[in-house]
Amino acid sequence: MRFASRDSFAPRLAQLVPMGSRLLAGSAAAGSLALGWWWYRVTRAGVHEVAIPPDSALGQQVAASLGGSGGCASDAFACIVPLPRGVQLAALNERYMRAFFTSPLFRAERAILAAAGYPSTDAEIAVMRFDRPGTDRVAIFDLTSRSASSGLDEALYSWSPSGRTWFGVRDGPNAHSAELLCGSAILDVPAAPFSNAPLGEQLKGALAYSFWPLHRAYGQLLLAEARLRLPTGNSPPES
């Protein structure tokens, strides 16, 4: 067996160093562009973080989870949209969920889920009214409840035994506006630190809490994409 001599290895290493530097520089540039694009879309849509309404379907489940295992990874975001004359909150929520599930970004997620055996199509979503719990489904997202109360129309989806996604539309700051809401939660996660929990629960907690910052950024962008696809006054929606 022949080994490369030190003299022949040094030139190869000298060639690899610039290549690695260019790769790192390219990755940094791509990351900066992605971050800038995220900031632009989220800012343009006016997305901001809000508290999960405690009386909402998601708020009640989060409260129950916090009172049970003591832990829960959750978030909620909102943005203001014009409320077209004559359009009720329930109708706007239907448009909002359809825009969310058919946005280009969520189409990419649906494609991944379809490859995993959970297909869904734009045609199915186009005729869905999101008002049949136990029947309406988008990929792994099963509608579990749809309800309306004073000033809030909401829909709760489950995507695993402990995973929840929530959509809501409530009255805006004036009579001609409404607030779009989007929330998510992983229930029954051990509260950190969870060193005394069983190994399986420790892994669940570690994955949930480490994954959540990325999910928060993704959730804000999904809401921004849905909001920008809704018509606003005289401006047409984005395709």
Side-chain angles (χ1 to χ4, degrees):
M1 180 180 296
R2 297 180 60 187
F3 295 93
S5 67
R6 182 180 301 175
D7 292 340
S8 65
F9 178 73
R12 295 180 185 178
L13 181 61
Q15 293 176 353
L16 290 175
V17 170
M19 292 175 58
S21 299
R22 287 194 294 269
L23 180 61
L24 289 175
S27 300
S32 298
L33 287 173
L35 183 60
W37 180 73
W38 173 87
W39 180 87
Y40 169 73
R41 300 296 281 182
V42 169
T43 302
R44 182 183 175 194
V47 173
H48 56 279
E49 189 168 8
V50 295
I52 299 173
D55 294 334
S56 66
L58 180 62
Q60 293 176 23
Q61 292 199 9
V62 166
S65 178
L66 291 173
S69 67
C72 176
S74 62
D75 58 35
F77 305 98
C79 60
I80 304 297
V81 296
L83 181 63
R85 181 172 298 180
V87 175
Q88 303 298 315
L89 295 182
L92 181 59
N93 200 9
E94 179 183 333
R95 298 179 187 179
Y96 162 42
M97 287 186 280
R98 185 170 294 113
F100 185 100
F101 285 128
T102 58
S103 67
L105 186 59
F106 200 82
R107 282 194 189 113
E109 180 174 338
R110 283 169 42 208
I112 295 172
L113 293 172
Y118 300 95
S120 60
T121 66
D122 284 357
E124 294 171 342
I125 297 171
V127 298
M128 196 176 294
R129 297 189 60 183
F130 311 102
D131 60 356
R132 298 179 301 169
T135 300
D136 288 343
R137 181 180 188 180
V138 178
I140 62 172
F141 297 86
D142 291 303
L143 180 66
T144 58
S145 68
R146 176 79 188 272
S147 61
S149 57
S150 178
L152 173 67
D153 186 271
E154 61 176 332
L156 183 67
Y157 293 79
S158 64
W159 43 269
S160 76
S162 58
R164 302 291 183 270
T165 295
W166 173 78
F167 300 95
V169 175
R170 64 185 175 187
D171 293 332
N174 57 61
H176 307 291
S177 66
E179 188 175 31
L180 305 182
L181 300 154
C182 181
S184 300
I186 299 180
L187 308 174
D188 303 324
V189 178
F194 34 79
S195 56
N196 293 328
L199 179 59
E201 293 298 301
Q202 291 185 41
L203 293 174
K204 179 180 178 181
L207 288 172
Y209 292 125
S210 61
F211 161 77
W212 211 249
L214 179 62
H215 179 273
R216 287 165 55 84
Y218 181 59
Q220 291 176 70
L221 187 55
L222 283 173
L223 175 55
E225 293 297 305
R227 189 261 179 266
L228 294 173
R229 298 185 74 242
L230 290 174
T232 56
N234 295 324
S235 301
E238 295 187 4
S239 59

